[in-house]
Amino acid sequence: MRIPKLILAFVFCAINQTLCLSENNFTKAKWIWYSFDKEPNCWAEFETSFYSITDSEQFVANIAVDSKYWLWVNDSLIIREGGLKRGPNPFDTYYDQHLIEKGIMQGSNKIKILVWYWGVNSSSHKSSGKPGLIFELKDKDGETVCKSDESWYSKKANAYKPTKMSLFNNQNILSEWPIQYDASNIDTQPLKHSVIIGDINCSPWNKLIKRPVPFWKDSELRTYSSSLTFPFKFDKDTIIRCWLPYNMQVYPYIHLNSTSGKKIGIKAERSWNENSYITTNGIQVYEVKAWGNGHFVDYSIPANVEILELKFRQTSYDADITGSFKSSDKDLNKLWLKSARSTILSMRDNYMDCPDRERSQWIHDAVNMSEFAYYALDRKADSLTKKMIHEFIDWRSPEGILWGAVPTGRFLNSYREFTTSSLIGISVGIYEYFIQTGDSSIIKQSYEPIRKYLLEIWEMDNNGLVKHRGSWKTEWASGTQNWNDWGSTDQDWYLLENCWYYQSLKRAKLFAEITGNFEDVPKYLKRMKSIEKVFDNYFWQNDGYRSPNYIGRTDDRSNALSIYSGLASKKNWNKIALLLSENRMASIYFEKYVLEALYIIGKTDIAYARLKARYEYEIKSTYTTLPENFGEDSNHGWGGAPLLIASKYIAGVAPITPGYGYFSIKPQIGNLNYLNVTVPSVKGSIKLEIKREKQQCIIRVIVPIGTTAKIEIPTNINGNVTVSKILLNGKKLTGYKYKNNEYCISLNDGESVLQLN
């Protein structure tokens, strides 16, 4: 079998590793704790000293805990909220590696670590069931200069008081307990020698997997937008609301003067928990160690407490919004920015469905967010996408079922698979990561689990279509479940399932070719051709695709997906487009695929009208992020479709070959007269500006070094006036192609200006 040149060009050298490898960075350290206590929601303090012969070396700190920690070197905070929620797979634990380039002095040095042990399973964290700390500091030659063992001093941090876990539907969805810190009850008793509780790679922490994402990006303390004059105090209990610039992750801070024993409540707008601080005597400061999010922070101030300062520290996943979108439609610009903020707000230990209630990494939510991140954020965001894919693969059940949301502690020794979500993980999540980044290692590492899932777990039915798996109703228990979308309950599940399975087969065929598993290609093709052969005869019913036994309104989601997957016959496109202009049942999550389908078949006007109609409330709302359901003021990571539509389809920027070595710019701007977009690709920023005025169009393009752009310009770019002349950098262009009512122009790297008259 001949391999297409495109695939050969991007088959990287095989990486001889499994998805999760432990690195030998803890050669001498031991797991320690202050005792054998396993109390949940427990805080512990650790201290030790070590000697350095120089102050000019770089040191590497390796540290693992269950669950979070703060690290000081010589009383300087080095790491704020270290550690990742536990769960690279159902068994093992993440560890951090941090390069310390300053702060260590020649002579004696002190290390202090504060550890927060959650001790509960949740929707994004699998507790080991046992608190612990392991630490090893190495010099530039790899020699251990400090290690955790029984010589370390430790004690329980009694100032952190027991609190009650907030429940959602009677479940521990969050792992982060409410924090109550009692500054009047700081334990002044001396620390005692620690207890060794385990060796490296021992149960229950098992293998230590290096943190695959950067440490959080924390700002300096900042002033709220509120116009408060400090100092102030009240003669009665008062709630002070302090406004943030937009919905963000924050650590609230307070500086005050008080007598002892006053309780101050601190709660960010969207936080599930309220944290509290109990005062000591005198001037004092406190910064909440658990992040929250929202547009404001409420401080419940007791009477006669003098407030000297109220501030916040912005915190986030370490990526910046480096993409941009501006156009002559202010509503579209607003939606793009809200989408970008929603995306980064829902990123941290993992992609989170919502940053307040649950913080789960549902695979379909995460896939949406990762696609938005490609067009909005710098490429440090890709590390979180790769982590998401690793976890999706490494949490598979013993029989090979891929499922989500993972990591999780909610289904011990079991799984909860939503079938189409797992197919989305393969056909969109893994594929888009590869095509956007050019990183084929993820394909090599995940190919066999994908093959097994698609060819062994899934079966074909006697009718030539894929056989339905699981229940025909939506449940939230363990096992194979059925869920596709919120929104209207009129959902054609069987049609959706066949479209998603077909799309996954298509991607798996490419993955087989990339990895050299050519014997599997005919197996994928056989199933694809089987579905193609019967698809129209089985599903098409005059004005749209429908399953024969489906009794609801004709589903916009499944019809859009018939186009998105490539199964819909071209002769049916116009009727499907008419259907999508009328039936609006998809939720804000699935709306992405409906809008994409319309742009894929060039129905620009219908797509644009639908986008403006569906997001009407979100356009008018002053809320700075996008919600879980249309018409709400909240935040949910899956809702940012306008960002993808604007950058990928209206501006038309997308990779042709993996990693943007060759990419397309195919604008579908409709009635927009102005467009300015930046796409932060792995090869560098792609910049596009389009101006239409006086029956001419000016297009400015910056193509990154070492790449080539294929510019596809519709012949009606100037409206009703047909383009008769094209200038490139002031000179008449003759070497372009004309096909399918488009001018096709190839541009090398650098800045180019096209003038179409």
Side-chain angles (χ1 to χ4, degrees):
M1 179 183 296
R2 295 186 63 188
I3 310 172
K5 291 182 179 179
L6 174 61
I7 296 170
L8 277 175
F10 292 95
V11 176
F12 296 172
C13 296
I15 296 179
N16 184 23
Q17 61 180 30
T18 59
L19 283 178
C20 286
L21 286 180
S22 178
E23 298 186 28
N24 191 26
N25 286 317
F26 297 87
T27 54
K28 299 178 181 180
K30 304 288 186 181
W31 282 96
I32 60 173
W33 199 243
Y34 63 83
S35 72
F36 292 99
D37 188 8
K38 295 184 179 181
E39 179 186 2
N41 192 23
C42 183
W43 296 75
E45 300 173 16
F46 295 85
E47 289 187 10
T48 193
S49 297
F50 71 95
Y51 189 87
S52 175
I53 60 174
T54 177
D55 61 0
S56 61
E57 288 192 45
Q58 292 182 337
F59 294 84
V60 174
N62 298 296
I63 181 171
V65 300
D66 184 337
S67 308
K68 294 285 184 176
Y69 71 91
W70 289 253
L71 170 68
W72 290 262
V73 174
N74 295 325
D75 296 322
S76 293
L77 182 63
I78 302 298
I79 299 175
R80 177 183 289 106
E81 197 201 305
L84 287 177
K85 290 185 174 181
R86 190 170 176 273
N89 56 58
F91 313 104
D92 299 328
T93 303
Y94 285 115
Y95 79 92
D96 289 351
Q97 186 172 88
H98 185 79
L99 179 64
I100 301 177
E101 297 183 275
K102 59 181 180 179
I104 294 178
M105 306 177 295
Q106 184 177 8
S108 181
N109 294 268
K110 182 176 70 174
I111 287 178
K112 184 171 75 172
I113 301 175
L114 176 67
V115 179
W116 186 14
Y117 170 63
W118 293 332
V120 290
N121 288 308
S122 71
S123 54
S124 55
H125 172 74
K126 184 176 181 183
S127 176
S128 69
K130 187 176 181 180
L133 159 72
I134 189 168
F135 177 92
E136 193 152 355
L137 185 70
K138 298 191 175 187
D139 63 20
K140 64 179 181 180
D141 298 319
E143 295 296 322
T144 298
V145 297
C146 182
K147 65 184 185 301
S148 54
D149 56 23
E150 69 273 23
S151 70
W152 281 46
Y153 291 94
S154 60
K155 68 177 179 180
K156 182 178 179 180
N158 287 318
Y160 292 92
K161 295 299 184 181
T163 55
K164 186 177 180 180
M165 172 64 75
S166 300
L167 301 181
F168 179 77
N169 291 340
N170 295 317
Q171 299 180 66
N172 292 337
I173 288 199
L174 282 180
S175 36
E176 297 93 326
W177 299 71
I179 297 176
Q180 178 169 291
Y181 185 80
D182 188 351
S184 69
N185 191 41
I186 295 175
D187 187 357
T188 58
Q189 294 297 313
L191 284 72
K192 299 180 180 179
H193 283 290
S194 298
V195 175
I196 292 177
I197 56 174
D199 294 320
I200 183 66
N201 293 332
C202 74
S203 177
W205 308 284
N206 305 314
K207 290 182 180 179
L208 296 180
I209 311 301
K210 186 177 177 181
R211 179 190 185 112
V213 297
F215 289 88
W216 316 137
K217 182 177 67 175
D218 298 330
S219 73
E220 297 300 315
L221 287 171
R222 295 176 177 173
T223 302
Y224 290 103
S225 303
S226 314
S227 55
L228 294 171
T229 301
F230 299 100
F232 65 81
K233 65 180 176 180
F234 301 97
D235 57 6
K236 63 179 180 178
D237 295 353
T238 304
I239 295 177
I240 301 296
R241 177 160 293 179
C242 298
W243 288 92
L244 298 160
Y246 48 84
N247 196 351
M248 62 173 67
Q249 298 175 13
V250 292
Y251 299 118
Y253 167 93
I254 187 169
H255 180 195
L256 57 95
N257 188 6
S258 175
T259 57
S260 182
K262 302 285 189 177
K263 184 177 180 180
I264 297 170
I266 306 174
K267 184 180 183 300
E269 175 204 6
R270 299 293 303 181
S271 292
W272 200 246
N273 297 323
E274 179 178 84
N275 301 291
S276 57
Y277 173 73
I278 299 175
T279 63
T280 186
N281 282 313
I283 295 175
Q284 55 211 276
V285 298
Y286 178 67
E287 183 174 334
V288 179
K289 287 186 165 56
W291 66 273
N293 79 280
H295 291 84
F296 57 80
V297 176
D298 281 341
Y299 292 84
S300 300
I301 309 297
N304 299 315
V305 171
E306 185 181 25
I307 304 302
L308 305 178
E309 285 181 307
L310 296 176
K311 292 187 175 183
F312 71 94
R313 189 185 308 277
Q314 184 174 1
T315 179
S316 71
Y317 182 89
D318 188 10
D320 293 317
I321 299 176
T322 53
S324 63
F325 183 91
K326 294 181 180 179
S327 72
S328 51
D329 185 339
K330 294 181 179 179
D331 293 342
L332 188 58
N333 303 343
K334 181 188 292 186
L335 286 175
W336 192 99
L337 183 57
K338 287 188 177 188
S339 302
R341 285 177 173 162
S342 291
T343 300
I344 197 164
L345 178 59
S346 298
M347 298 167 64
R348 202 167 176 93
D349 297 65
N350 47 263
Y351 283 111
M352 300 175 282
D353 56 346
C354 45
D356 41 26
R357 181 189 71 228
E358 188 174 343
R359 301 180 181 176
S360 280
Q361 186 171 253
W362 296 95
I363 187 63
H364 51 276
D365 297 57
V367 165
N368 270 22
M369 286 180 268
S370 65
E371 283 203 87
F372 308 153
Y374 296 132
Y375 286 90
L377 307 180
D378 67 58
R379 298 287 37 93
K380 284 183 284 188
D382 297 340
S383 297
L384 194 64
T385 303
K386 193 169 186 176
K387 175 180 180 287
M388 173 264 289
I389 295 171
H390 282 309
E391 290 166 348
F392 174 56
I393 295 297
D394 281 344
W395 274 81
R396 64 190 182 275
S397 72
E399 59 268 50
I401 291 174
L402 299 172
W403 63 285
V406 293
T408 184
R410 298 172 67 189
F411 298 94
L412 299 177
N413 303 315
S414 186
Y415 62 90
R416 183 170 65 188
E417 174 203 19
F418 292 106
T419 55
T420 55
S421 296
S422 296
L423 295 175
I424 291 169
I426 296 168
S427 62
V428 185
I430 296 176
Y431 172 76
E432 284 295 330
Y433 174 81
F434 167 61
I435 199 73
Q436 288 281 341
T437 67
D439 178 7
S440 66
S441 67
I442 202 76
I443 307 298
K444 297 178 176 68
Q445 295 162 13
S446 60
Y447 176 74
E448 178 52 29
I450 291 172
R451 183 208 64 77
K452 184 173 184 177
Y453 182 68
L454 293 178
L455 296 181
E456 296 183 24
I457 302 297
W458 288 84
E459 299 176 350
M460 299 300 288
D461 215 337
N462 293 332
N463 60 8
L465 298 168
V466 71
K467 184 181 290 186
H468 174 75
R469 296 179 51 245
S471 171
W472 280 107
K473 60 182 179 179
T474 300
E475 296 177 336
W476 298 97
S478 60
T480 298
Q481 302 292 320
N482 193 68
W483 183 89
N484 289 277
D485 186 30
W486 290 142
S488 166
T489 56
D490 291 332
Q491 299 181 26
D492 196 340
W493 290 337
Y494 190 53
L495 176 52
L496 282 165
E497 203 167 52
N498 272 274
C499 291
W500 279 128
Y501 185 67
Y502 178 83
Q503 182 80 339
S504 297
L505 292 172
K506 188 191 304 183
R507 301 313 187 200
K509 172 184 170 290
L510 172 65
F511 299 163
E513 293 167 340
I514 289 172
T515 58
N517 289 282
F518 303 113
E519 68 279 4
D520 292 331
V521 172
K523 301 173 187 176
Y524 298 123
L525 286 172
K526 182 180 179 180
R527 293 193 178 192
M528 289 172 64
K529 290 176 181 177
S530 176
I531 295 172
E532 292 167 357
K533 183 177 180 181
V534 302
F535 189 79
D536 271 11
N537 288 336
Y538 189 88
F539 289 113
W540 185 254
Q541 296 188 22
N542 298 321
D543 60 352
Y545 288 104
R546 295 174 58 94
S547 298
N549 297 326
Y550 172 63
I551 60 174
R553 289 179 295 166
T554 303
D555 185 14
D556 56 345
R557 308 168 190 82
S558 54
N559 276 270
L561 210 60
S562 70
I563 291 172
Y564 184 86
S565 64
L567 279 168
S569 299
K570 191 171 184 178
K571 63 182 181 181
N572 297 327
W573 284 3
N574 287 336
K575 288 187 176 180
I576 295 173
L578 179 61
L579 170 71
L580 299 184
S581 70
E582 298 172 346
N583 288 17
R584 297 173 180 176
M585 302 182 293
S587 79
I588 198 170
Y589 150 63
F590 214 100
E591 187 66 20
K592 164 185 175 291
Y593 297 105
V594 179
L595 294 171
E596 284 190 275
L598 287 167
Y599 276 102
I600 286 170
I601 61 175
K603 300 296 183 180
T604 304
D605 293 342
I606 295 175
Y608 193 74
R610 175 165 176 141
L611 186 153
K612 295 294 289 288
R614 299 238 66 194
Y615 286 86
E616 181 180 9
Y617 178 87
E618 286 68 35
I619 291 169
K620 294 177 180 177
S621 172
T622 58
Y623 219 76
T624 60
T625 52
L626 295 175
E628 181 174 4
N629 297 291
F630 282 117
E632 296 176 345
D633 284 336
S634 66
N635 183 83
H636 201 284
W638 71 13
L643 188 155
L644 186 73
I645 297 303
S647 297
K648 184 177 182 179
Y649 293 98
I650 295 177
V653 180
I656 298 174
T657 59
Y660 276 92
Y662 185 39
F663 65 92
S664 66
I665 298 178
K666 186 178 181 179
Q668 298 183 70
I669 61 175
N671 293 323
L672 296 176
N673 291 318
Y674 179 75
L675 181 73
N676 192 320
V677 63
T678 299
V679 174
S681 82
V682 293
K683 290 293 196 301
S685 290
I686 299 165
K687 296 182 180 293
L688 170 68
E689 183 183 47
I690 300 176
K691 290 182 180 179
R692 292 198 304 193
E693 56 185 11
K694 297 179 181 179
Q695 298 183 346
Q696 74 170 2
C697 182
I698 305 296
I699 301 177
R700 297 179 183 272
V701 182
I702 296 179
V703 178
I705 295 174
T707 68
T708 303
K710 177 185 179 184
I711 314 294
E712 299 173 84
I713 306 170
T715 55
N716 64 350
I717 191 74
N718 288 332
N720 296 325
V721 178
T722 302
V723 174
S724 60
K725 182 173 64 174
I726 302 176
L727 301 179
L728 173 60
N729 297 329
K731 297 180 180 179
K732 186 175 181 179
L733 184 66
T734 57
Y736 57 86
K737 298 179 181 179
Y738 172 76
K739 186 178 180 181
N740 298 327
N741 294 319
E742 289 180 342
Y743 300 108
C744 185
I745 302 165
S746 182
L747 294 179
N748 294 324
D749 54 24
E751 183 173 0
S752 300
V753 179
L754 290 164
Q755 182 177 336
L756 295 94
N757 299 104

Short mmCIF file of all heavy atoms in Angstrom, two decimals, residues 498-522:
data_model
loop_
_atom_site.label_atom_id
_atom_site.label_comp_id
_atom_site.label_asym_id
_atom_site.label_seq_id
_atom_site.Cartn_x
_atom_site.Cartn_y
_atom_site.Cartn_z
N ASN A 498 -23.78 7.03 14.65
CA ASN A 498 -23.17 6.57 13.40
C ASN A 498 -22.27 7.63 12.79
O ASN A 498 -21.21 7.31 12.25
CB ASN A 498 -24.27 6.16 12.40
CG ASN A 498 -24.68 4.72 12.56
OD1 ASN A 498 -24.06 3.82 12.00
ND2 ASN A 498 -25.70 4.48 13.38
N CYS A 499 -22.67 8.89 12.89
CA CYS A 499 -21.81 9.96 12.37
C CYS A 499 -20.50 10.05 13.15
O CYS A 499 -19.42 10.16 12.55
CB CYS A 499 -22.55 11.29 12.43
SG CYS A 499 -23.93 11.43 11.28
N TRP A 500 -20.59 10.00 14.48
CA TRP A 500 -19.38 10.10 15.28
C TRP A 500 -18.48 8.88 15.09
O TRP A 500 -17.25 9.00 15.04
CB TRP A 500 -19.71 10.26 16.76
CG TRP A 500 -20.06 11.65 17.18
CD1 TRP A 500 -21.17 12.05 17.86
CD2 TRP A 500 -19.30 12.84 16.95
NE1 TRP A 500 -21.16 13.41 18.08
CE2 TRP A 500 -20.01 13.92 17.54
CE3 TRP A 500 -18.09 13.11 16.31
CZ2 TRP A 500 -19.56 15.23 17.50
CZ3 TRP A 500 -17.62 14.42 16.28
CH2 TRP A 500 -18.34 15.46 16.85
N TYR A 501 -19.09 7.70 14.96
CA TYR A 501 -18.28 6.49 14.77
C TYR A 501 -17.58 6.54 13.41
O TYR A 501 -16.39 6.20 13.30
CB TYR A 501 -19.15 5.25 14.87
CG TYR A 501 -18.35 3.97 14.80
CD1 TYR A 501 -17.46 3.62 15.81
CD2 TYR A 501 -18.47 3.10 13.71
CE1 TYR A 501 -16.71 2.45 15.74
CE2 TYR A 501 -17.74 1.93 13.63
CZ TYR A 501 -16.86 1.62 14.64
OH TYR A 501 -16.12 0.46 14.57
N TYR A 502 -18.29 6.98 12.38
CA TYR A 502 -17.68 7.09 11.06
C TYR A 502 -16.51 8.06 11.08
O TYR A 502 -15.44 7.78 10.51
CB TYR A 502 -18.74 7.55 10.05
CG TYR A 502 -18.21 7.76 8.65
CD1 TYR A 502 -18.09 6.69 7.77
CD2 TYR A 502 -17.84 9.03 8.20
CE1 TYR A 502 -17.60 6.87 6.48
CE2 TYR A 502 -17.35 9.22 6.92
CZ TYR A 502 -17.24 8.14 6.08
OH TYR A 502 -16.74 8.32 4.80
N GLN A 503 -16.71 9.21 11.72
CA GLN A 503 -15.63 10.20 11.81
C GLN A 503 -14.43 9.61 12.55
O GLN A 503 -13.27 9.86 12.18
CB GLN A 503 -16.14 11.44 12.54
CG GLN A 503 -15.14 12.58 12.66
CD GLN A 503 -15.01 13.41 11.40
OE1 GLN A 503 -15.35 12.94 10.31
NE2 GLN A 503 -14.52 14.62 11.52
N SER A 504 -14.66 8.81 13.57
CA SER A 504 -13.57 8.20 14.31
C SER A 504 -12.83 7.17 13.47
O SER A 504 -11.60 7.06 13.54
CB SER A 504 -14.11 7.54 15.59
OG SER A 504 -14.68 8.50 16.45
N LEU A 505 -13.56 6.41 12.67
CA LEU A 505 -12.92 5.45 11.76
C LEU A 505 -12.01 6.18 10.77
O LEU A 505 -10.90 5.73 10.47
CB LEU A 505 -13.98 4.65 11.00
CG LEU A 505 -14.82 3.66 11.80
CD1 LEU A 505 -15.94 3.10 10.91
CD2 LEU A 505 -13.96 2.51 12.35
N LYS A 506 -12.49 7.28 10.26
CA LYS A 506 -11.71 8.08 9.31
C LYS A 506 -10.39 8.52 9.94
O LYS A 506 -9.32 8.43 9.31
CB LYS A 506 -12.53 9.29 8.87
CG LYS A 506 -11.92 10.09 7.74
CD LYS A 506 -12.65 11.43 7.56
CE LYS A 506 -14.13 11.26 7.32
NZ LYS A 506 -14.80 12.57 7.06
N ARG A 507 -10.46 9.00 11.18
CA ARG A 507 -9.23 9.44 11.85
C ARG A 507 -8.34 8.26 12.19
O ARG A 507 -7.11 8.34 12.09
CB ARG A 507 -9.59 10.21 13.12
CG ARG A 507 -10.45 11.45 12.91
CD ARG A 507 -9.97 12.34 11.80
NE ARG A 507 -10.71 13.59 11.73
CZ ARG A 507 -10.77 14.36 10.65
NH1 ARG A 507 -10.13 13.99 9.54
NH2 ARG A 507 -11.46 15.49 10.66
N ALA A 508 -8.93 7.16 12.62
CA ALA A 508 -8.13 5.98 12.98
C ALA A 508 -7.39 5.42 11.77
O ALA A 508 -6.27 4.91 11.89
CB ALA A 508 -9.03 4.91 13.59
N LYS A 509 -7.99 5.52 10.61
CA LYS A 509 -7.31 5.09 9.38
C LYS A 509 -6.04 5.92 9.17
O LYS A 509 -4.96 5.37 8.86
CB LYS A 509 -8.24 5.25 8.19
CG LYS A 509 -7.58 5.01 6.83
CD LYS A 509 -8.56 5.29 5.71
CE LYS A 509 -7.84 5.28 4.36
NZ LYS A 509 -6.94 6.45 4.20
N LEU A 510 -6.15 7.23 9.35
CA LEU A 510 -4.97 8.10 9.24
C LEU A 510 -3.95 7.73 10.30
O LEU A 510 -2.74 7.63 10.02
CB LEU A 510 -5.39 9.55 9.40
CG LEU A 510 -4.27 10.58 9.49
CD1 LEU A 510 -3.47 10.64 8.20
CD2 LEU A 510 -4.83 11.96 9.85
N PHE A 511 -4.41 7.48 11.53
CA PHE A 511 -3.49 7.13 12.62
C PHE A 511 -2.76 5.82 12.31
O PHE A 511 -1.57 5.67 12.63
CB PHE A 511 -4.25 7.01 13.94
CG PHE A 511 -4.93 8.27 14.39
CD1 PHE A 511 -5.92 8.22 15.37
CD2 PHE A 511 -4.60 9.51 13.85
CE1 PHE A 511 -6.56 9.37 15.79
CE2 PHE A 511 -5.24 10.67 14.27
CZ PHE A 511 -6.23 10.59 15.24
N ALA A 512 -3.47 4.87 11.72
CA ALA A 512 -2.84 3.59 11.35
C ALA A 512 -1.74 3.81 10.33
O ALA A 512 -0.67 3.19 10.40
CB ALA A 512 -3.89 2.63 10.81
N GLU A 513 -1.97 4.68 9.36
CA GLU A 513 -0.96 4.97 8.34
C GLU A 513 0.24 5.68 8.95
O GLU A 513 1.40 5.39 8.60
CB GLU A 513 -1.59 5.80 7.23
CG GLU A 513 -2.63 5.03 6.43
CD GLU A 513 -3.48 5.92 5.54
OE1 GLU A 513 -3.54 7.14 5.79
OE2 GLU A 513 -4.08 5.37 4.60
N ILE A 514 0.00 6.59 9.87
CA ILE A 514 1.09 7.33 10.51
C ILE A 514 1.97 6.39 11.32
O ILE A 514 3.20 6.52 11.33
CB ILE A 514 0.51 8.43 11.41
CG1 ILE A 514 -0.09 9.54 10.57
CG2 ILE A 514 1.59 9.01 12.35
CD1 ILE A 514 -0.85 10.59 11.36
N THR A 515 1.35 5.44 12.01
CA THR A 515 2.10 4.55 12.90
C THR A 515 2.59 3.28 12.22
O THR A 515 3.23 2.45 12.86
CB THR A 515 1.21 4.16 14.10
OG1 THR A 515 0.01 3.54 13.64
CG2 THR A 515 0.87 5.38 14.94
N GLY A 516 2.29 3.11 10.93
CA GLY A 516 2.76 1.93 10.21
C GLY A 516 1.92 0.69 10.45
O GLY A 516 2.35 -0.43 10.10
N ASN A 517 0.73 0.85 10.99
CA ASN A 517 -0.17 -0.29 11.20
C ASN A 517 -1.08 -0.46 9.98
O ASN A 517 -2.31 -0.37 10.06
CB ASN A 517 -1.00 -0.07 12.47
CG ASN A 517 -0.17 -0.19 13.73
OD1 ASN A 517 0.15 -1.29 14.18
ND2 ASN A 517 0.21 0.96 14.28
N PHE A 518 -0.44 -0.75 8.85
CA PHE A 518 -1.17 -0.78 7.58
C PHE A 518 -2.17 -1.93 7.49
O PHE A 518 -3.13 -1.86 6.73
CB PHE A 518 -0.17 -0.84 6.42
CG PHE A 518 0.81 0.30 6.43
CD1 PHE A 518 2.15 0.07 6.67
CD2 PHE A 518 0.38 1.59 6.21
CE1 PHE A 518 3.06 1.12 6.69
CE2 PHE A 518 1.28 2.65 6.23
CZ PHE A 518 2.61 2.41 6.47
N GLU A 519 -1.95 -2.96 8.28
CA GLU A 519 -2.88 -4.08 8.25
C GLU A 519 -4.25 -3.70 8.80
O GLU A 519 -5.25 -4.40 8.53
CB GLU A 519 -2.31 -5.26 9.05
CG GLU A 519 -2.22 -5.06 10.57
CD GLU A 519 -1.01 -4.26 11.03
OE1 GLU A 519 -0.26 -3.79 10.15
OE2 GLU A 519 -0.82 -4.12 12.26
N ASP A 520 -4.32 -2.60 9.55
CA ASP A 520 -5.60 -2.18 10.11
C ASP A 520 -6.39 -1.29 9.15
O ASP A 520 -7.60 -1.12 9.32
CB ASP A 520 -5.38 -1.40 11.42
CG ASP A 520 -4.85 -2.28 12.54
OD1 ASP A 520 -5.15 -3.49 12.53
OD2 ASP A 520 -4.13 -1.76 13.41
N VAL A 521 -5.71 -0.72 8.15
CA VAL A 521 -6.39 0.21 7.25
C VAL A 521 -7.59 -0.42 6.56
O VAL A 521 -8.68 0.17 6.53
CB VAL A 521 -5.39 0.80 6.24
CG1 VAL A 521 -6.12 1.62 5.17
CG2 VAL A 521 -4.34 1.66 6.94
N PRO A 522 -7.46 -1.62 5.99
CA PRO A 522 -8.65 -2.24 5.35
C PRO A 522 -9.80 -2.47 6.32
O PRO A 522 -10.97 -2.44 5.90
CB PRO A 522 -8.10 -3.57 4.82
CG PRO A 522 -6.63 -3.38 4.70
CD PRO A 522 -6.27 -2.46 5.82
#
